[in-house]
Amino acid sequence: MQLQVARIGKPHGIRGEVTVQVLTDAPEDRFVPGTTFVVEPAASGPLTVSSARWNKDILLLGFEEVADRNRAETLRGAKLFIETEELDEDDDEGWYEHELVGLEARVGSQVVGKVTALNTMPVQDLLMVTTPGGEEILIPFVEQIVPEVNVGEGYILLTPPDGLFELNSDEAAAPETEDRV
């Protein structure tokens, strides 16, 4: 299975370097010279890293297959993937989106929805859970609210605070009709 680790942004300079939006926790391990990425769209790749450097908070990558700015411009928006079989299996404290999507979300023994996405955010990650009624609920992916992830059994256990599932409901979004004095 493939895991997206970056999205290519705009070209930088005239020698074919590009900016990238990093989508991995370990960019220093993923973007080393010699690493080859599967690219989407497939016509743009594969791409092999020739250089990687930081310019302020922006990662700049050079690829062996990209010699100038014109070629780099054609890569804008392309997604970079690695094969998950190549990943180290020693990290027991994290999950990839493809491992979580499709798991049942349970509160106790009651199924309250299915995990449909993992949004990685700067402060904390959010699980998107779609309820049987089709509502999408964002759940902070922290141990206090998601104390158990059981990929083998196909579920996550939630201990949501009061009101978490009502927060995104239609009733909560509707304006109050009661007159206030």
Side-chain angles (χ1 to χ4, degrees), residues 78-167:
K79 298 174 183 176
L80 301 179
F81 295 86
I82 58 171
E83 291 292 331
T84 56
E85 290 81 31
E86 298 172 6
L87 301 176
D88 296 333
E89 296 299 330
D90 60 358
D91 184 11
D92 293 333
E93 294 191 24
W95 291 271
Y96 294 106
E97 182 175 26
H98 70 272
E99 295 173 309
L100 298 169
V101 170
L103 297 181
E104 286 184 344
R106 299 179 184 171
V107 175
S109 60
Q110 179 185 4
V111 175
V112 295
K114 280 203 178 289
V115 177
T116 53
L118 171 67
N119 297 334
T120 53
M121 309 298 279
V123 176
Q124 71 186 21
D125 295 342
L126 298 170
L127 288 173
M128 183 177 294
V129 173
T130 302
T131 66
E135 293 181 83
E136 293 180 337
I137 309 294
L138 294 175
I139 309 288
F141 196 20
V142 295
E143 190 171 356
Q144 295 83 355
I145 298 174
V146 187
E148 183 180 350
V149 176
N150 192 327
V151 176
E153 299 281 326
Y155 71 90
I156 62 169
L157 185 62
L158 303 174
T159 56
D162 290 340
L164 182 65
F165 279 85
E166 291 78 29
L167 198 59

Side-chain angles (χ1 to χ4, degrees), residues 39-95:
V39 182
E40 185 181 294
S44 297
L47 294 174
T48 305
V49 176
S50 61
S51 66
R53 65 186 178 96
W54 290 92
N55 182 14
K56 299 179 184 168
D57 292 333
I58 299 171
L59 180 62
L60 302 174
L61 293 180
F63 298 105
E64 293 175 6
E65 299 81 3
V66 181
D68 60 26
R69 184 179 181 93
N70 290 339
R71 171 72 170 109
E73 184 65 49
T74 66
L75 298 175
R76 189 183 295 238
K79 298 174 183 176
L80 301 179
F81 295 86
I82 58 171
E83 291 292 331
T84 56
E85 290 81 31
E86 298 172 6
L87 301 176
D88 296 333
E89 296 299 330
D90 60 358
D91 184 11
D92 293 333
E93 294 191 24
W95 291 271

